[in-house]
Amino acid sequence: ASQGVNFRAAVNRDSVYVGEQVTYQVGVFLDDDTRHRLRRNPEFTPPEPRAMLAYDLPSPPGPTAVRTANGRRYEVHVFQRALFPISPGPAMVPPARLAYALPLSNSFFAREERRTARADSLTVQVRPLPAADRPPEGTERLSIAPRPV
């Protein structure tokens, strides 16, 4: 809570089966002073995980959230992505990145200092599908027979 910009990532589950959804969320917390100093929107770069399908999810509905920590007020922005691991084993989600610039003084013509925040990388344990529900090896899962006319 001592920083003007906090950038955190989390997954809703740390262990899933192959093909099961994991929801990845990144929160950007901007304190009032920093938010008022920004001259343009920060640039968010989401992670590109390997061995996972990824789909962006809509932001949580409702107005922008506001949180207070240690007497400081933060505006909270949330990015969500559904991840579907396609192979068993540990699956790493690399860090997301947030680039922003703050002016060095209150002057309109002041130079800007560029900063980059990185969220933590995360690991999800992906388990293989249970053998009990699998069809025998070499058989088709779905067969469509033509209907008689």
Side-chain angles (χ1 to χ4, degrees):
S2 63
Q3 301 173 338
V5 175
N6 283 301
F7 189 55
R8 301 287 179 250
V11 289
N12 67 335
R13 296 157 44 186
D14 46 347
S15 180
V16 295
Y17 287 104
V18 170
E20 194 172 14
Q21 178 178 332
V22 174
T23 302
Y24 172 80
Q25 289 186 324
V26 174
V28 179
F29 301 80
L30 300 170
D31 75 356
D32 283 341
D33 179 52
T34 303
R35 187 174 53 82
H36 291 299
R37 290 177 56 203
L38 288 171
R39 293 182 180 164
R40 59 181 167 270
N41 289 335
E43 181 182 317
F44 173 68
T45 306
E48 293 298 329
R50 294 182 183 199
M52 292 189 192
L53 298 174
Y55 297 96
D56 291 345
L57 297 172
S59 295
T64 302
V66 175
R67 299 282 187 262
T68 303
N70 296 337
R72 293 175 79 174
R73 190 171 166 260
Y74 289 87
E75 187 176 90
V76 182
H77 300 272
V78 178
F79 167 82
Q80 298 185 112
R81 184 172 263 190
L83 303 175
F84 299 91
I86 58 174
S87 61
M92 191 189 88
V93 180
R97 189 173 57 87
L98 184 74
Y100 61 100
L102 294 172
L104 296 173
S105 73
N106 290 334
S107 169
F108 180 76
F109 299 105
R111 286 187 16 220
E112 292 181 336
E113 177 184 20
R114 294 187 180 279
R115 299 179 182 183
T116 301
R118 292 186 190 281
D120 294 332
S121 61
L122 303 170
T123 302
V124 176
Q125 282 301 98
V126 183
R127 299 176 296 208
L129 293 173
D133 295 333
R134 290 186 193 172
E137 198 65 36
T139 61
E140 294 183 29
R141 289 186 156 209
L142 177 67
S143 65
I144 301 175
R147 288 183 150 178
V149 180

